[in-house]
Amino acid sequence: MNVCRVRILDIPVDVINKKRAEKKVEQMLMENKSHTIIAINPEKVIAARYDSTLKEALENADLLLPDGAGLVWAARIFGYNGIQRIPGADFMENICKIAARRNCGVFIYGSREEVNRKATQILQKRYPRLRIAGRCHGYIDEEKMDELIEMINASGAIVLFVALGSPKQEKWMMKYLPRLNKVRICQGIGGTLDTLAGYSKRAPKWIQYLQAEWLYRLLREPWRIKRQKALIQFAKLVLKEKAR
């Protein structure tokens, strides 16, 4: 299944909705090669403009989830209809449902040990048929990375979730995925494990519906103001580009 990929501020974005994204995952699982799934938002677009390695990871991704109301707004500003916001945290669970149905082993890598363990337990309870092939916290020294790669390969996992935060997780995926001989899908999930484990709260459903999660997070965590400045920069650049 082909996905329409466009460029916003010279950064690739997939014009897709959740249903088509799920079909894409089903297709990926049937192919004898590895695939990367990355959620992209305005902050990541701005970061990729200054980080060539991050941009390369986005360019090479097999599926770029439009995560962020600002990104959907920008796509529509440029006339790219048919795009739907797909939060990476939500889509992780969509992949878990598919993996459970297909009996695909899942490996969860990243975050603190207690967060990783609790999030894994919650996923197992939420999806009893989900086969957790293995897990590991995200505090692995570079000299021990070979051991982690061997652990993932030995687990037989078909799906790998990487929770290292951006851009570290994207760079890790680009560097090490070629060495994972059984993984077919690798998704970067940022702080999703913290949310699953209850260490970080998502906005209520009605706020998510209004696509105002960014405001909710800012009010709860004022220190995010520095990160939210990227939203303002993104909006200015989009409007400037549109005016051209």
Side-chain angles (χ1 to χ4, degrees):
M1 185 189 75
N2 294 326
V3 174
C4 177
R5 179 160 294 183
V6 300
R7 306 190 77 82
I8 295 178
L9 304 181
D10 197 36
I11 303 300
V13 178
D14 287 343
V15 178
I16 197 168
N17 56 35
K18 188 176 75 169
K19 185 176 181 179
R20 287 182 60 81
E22 289 176 346
K23 288 183 178 180
K24 184 67 175 176
V25 168
E26 298 271 10
Q27 177 183 318
M28 290 175 179
L29 289 173
M30 292 188 293
E31 296 177 351
N32 189 31
K33 62 178 183 178
S34 57
H35 306 79
T36 56
I37 299 176
I38 299 175
I40 184 167
N41 54 28
E43 182 182 351
K44 199 168 292 187
V45 168
I46 295 300
R49 287 167 60 88
Y50 302 99
D51 187 330
S52 60
T53 307
L54 174 59
K55 184 177 181 182
E56 182 182 357
L58 298 180
E59 297 281 4
N60 293 326
D62 295 276
L63 183 58
L64 293 170
L65 301 174
D67 183 351
L71 196 65
V72 173
W73 164 79
R76 291 173 178 168
I77 282 283
F78 291 119
Y80 303 130
N81 297 316
I83 190 170
Q84 176 188 26
R85 183 181 175 229
I86 309 175
D90 293 345
F91 200 68
M92 176 204 183
E93 296 203 44
N94 292 124
I95 294 178
C96 284
K97 292 177 186 177
I98 295 172
R101 187 172 68 247
R102 288 177 165 268
N103 193 33
C104 296
V106 170
F107 196 102
I108 301 174
Y109 166 51
S111 197
R112 305 191 309 275
E113 168 59 25
E114 62 271 26
V115 174
N116 186 296
R117 181 178 63 252
K118 187 173 181 180
T120 300
Q121 292 170 347
I122 290 172
L123 281 173
Q124 191 69 82
K125 290 180 180 178
R126 194 170 292 177
Y127 308 103
R129 294 178 59 189
L130 181 65
R131 182 162 59 88
I132 305 294
R135 67 173 190 86
C136 181
H137 64 79
Y139 293 85
I140 303 296
D141 294 333
E142 188 64 31
E143 57 267 24
K144 293 185 178 181
M145 202 57 69
D146 287 345
E147 296 177 18
L148 174 63
I149 299 303
E150 290 178 8
M151 183 191 306
I152 297 173
N153 283 333
S155 75
I158 303 298
V159 176
L160 170 65
F161 295 117
V162 182
L164 299 178
S166 185
K168 185 176 180 180
Q169 64 192 18
E170 288 84 6
K171 294 178 180 181
W172 187 95
M173 290 158 64
M174 189 168 63
K175 181 177 181 179
Y176 291 107
L177 190 56
R179 295 175 56 187
L180 300 174
N181 52 36
K182 295 182 180 179
V183 171
R184 293 292 168 265
I185 291 179
C186 182
Q187 182 192 3
I189 59 172
T192 300
L193 298 184
D194 291 87
T195 303
L196 274 171
Y199 290 89
S200 176
K201 291 186 177 181
R202 286 191 67 182
K205 291 293 184 181
W206 66 272
I207 293 181
Q208 294 181 40
Y209 178 78
L210 293 174
Q211 299 190 3
E213 282 189 88
W214 63 273
L215 180 59
Y216 177 83
R217 289 195 296 268
L218 180 59
L219 292 175
R220 285 182 59 88
E221 303 169 338
W223 56 266
R224 282 182 174 269
I225 188 63
K226 291 182 179 180
R227 296 176 63 182
Q228 297 296 348
K229 286 181 179 179
L231 287 173
I232 299 174
Q233 184 182 0
F234 176 80
K236 287 181 177 179
L237 290 172
V238 167
L239 293 174
K240 183 178 180 181
E241 184 68 24
K242 177 63 177 177
R244 290 178 181 176

